Amino acid sequence: MITKNDFNSEWWGDPVGILRDPAFFRKSAGQQKKLLKEFSWVEFRSTQIQTPALWEKLRQAGFFYADTLMNFRIALDRITGSADLQALGARSALQRPFAIKPQAIAPFKNERFNLLPGKTPERIARRYACWSNNLIKEYPGYCLSISWKNETQGWFLSRPSAEGLNLTLAMLAKGAGISGMLLYQKALLEYSRLGLRLGWASFSVRNTAVLNIYSRLGAHFLCPEYCWFWVNRK
């Protein structure tokens, strides 16, 4: 019922679990503990409405609320440009290969993994660098480096899917001289230029900057997904 999350286990350095079936919380306390103790921490994610009864079961099992992820879709072919974008460059890793080092990424302030005991800024940055480079390796034509005055300002990394383009990860570079709005707008325009029409993804509701960006760009918001953590305190 709890499966190992290979990616989270890789960047964290210990086994990490993922749980999606709320039926887990109908098990006895002993059964729950037996399954949970195999992991350093476990994330429960669900789009089901969080009723008071379920919240109480989560609390009793040792889980705590971590975040709400807002799902959305956006019409890439309706993104419009602006004069400020003309000075920016956008190249895919297929056109010009690149990799992303942890120390090059601007710190993530709205990050649920900051709630985990033992987290460090370096550990979080390592997560994003690892994730980024995996995406670049698998989908180089959809991973963009955005530049201004011949300096890298950030990256927008995506992957194709049956539902459209998954706008997986966007990051400003440390010391970037442009806004997040320009980074997102430039990247989405480039995807539109490549003939892609629909994008989708999710982001933390705590990240009001991203919420405002996607709102201005015409995103359509969908059902949220709730995230809870259990931490092994052995």
Side-chain angles (χ1 to χ4, degrees):
M1 189 168 282
I2 303 176
T3 58
K4 183 182 178 183
N5 186 311
D6 291 331
F7 172 69
N8 281 342
S9 300
E10 179 183 358
W11 69 267
W12 187 256
D14 282 306
V16 172
I18 182 72
L19 172 63
R20 293 186 180 276
D21 188 352
F24 171 84
F25 300 101
R26 293 198 291 269
K27 292 183 175 294
S28 69
Q31 290 174 315
Q32 291 176 2
K33 290 179 181 178
K34 182 178 179 180
L35 294 170
L36 288 167
K37 71 178 184 179
E38 302 298 321
F39 302 96
S40 179
W41 52 272
V42 173
E43 183 175 25
F44 171 61
R45 293 174 64 163
S46 175
T47 56
Q48 293 188 17
I49 296 174
Q50 304 295 291
T51 64
L54 179 57
W55 279 58
E56 180 60 21
K57 288 180 180 179
L58 284 158
R59 186 194 66 78
Q60 290 175 354
F63 282 77
F64 62 91
Y65 169 75
D67 204 356
T68 299
L69 302 181
M70 181 58 66
N71 293 291
F72 70 93
R73 293 178 181 173
I74 188 166
L76 299 174
D77 54 356
R78 294 184 182 179
I79 304 297
T80 58
S82 65
D84 292 337
L85 297 178
Q86 295 178 9
L88 303 184
R91 289 182 179 272
S92 73
L94 196 60
Q95 295 170 303
R96 181 181 293 175
F98 62 87
I100 300 175
K101 297 180 179 180
Q103 59 269 29
I105 303 170
F108 281 82
K109 298 178 181 179
N110 301 287
E111 176 51 73
R112 67 187 183 279
F113 299 106
N114 284 327
L115 299 174
L116 293 169
K119 65 85 186 173
T120 63
E122 293 75 20
R123 213 171 195 176
I124 300 298
R126 187 166 70 244
R127 175 183 190 269
Y128 281 98
C130 180
W131 189 9
S132 298
N133 292 318
N134 286 343
L135 287 166
I136 292 167
K137 182 179 179 180
E138 292 186 54
Y139 311 102
Y142 301 93
C143 293
L144 305 178
S145 175
I146 307 300
S147 62
W148 177 56
K149 295 183 178 179
N150 296 318
E151 294 289 337
T152 299
Q153 302 297 305
W155 308 270
F156 207 112
L157 314 174
S158 301
R159 59 180 179 83
S161 75
E163 295 79 22
L165 186 67
N166 178 228
L167 307 170
T168 312
L169 183 58
M171 305 177 294
L172 283 170
K174 192 175 293 184
I178 67 170
S179 67
M181 178 65 187
L182 288 178
L183 174 77
Y184 280 60
Q185 194 176 10
K186 182 67 176 182
L188 298 188
L189 277 171
E190 180 64 14
Y191 290 135
S192 178
R193 189 188 68 79
L194 293 173
L196 299 160
R197 300 183 60 187
L198 179 67
W200 63 276
S202 64
F203 60 89
S204 170
V205 295
R206 294 193 182 100
N207 198 336
T208 54
V210 171
L211 174 61
N212 287 326
I213 288 171
Y214 277 125
S215 295
R216 288 178 60 188
L217 293 176
H220 177 65
F221 300 105
L222 306 170
C223 179
E225 184 174 36
Y226 305 95
C227 304
W228 294 69
F229 284 151
W230 174 88
V231 176
N232 194 333
R233 302 184 186 278
K234 60 183 178 181

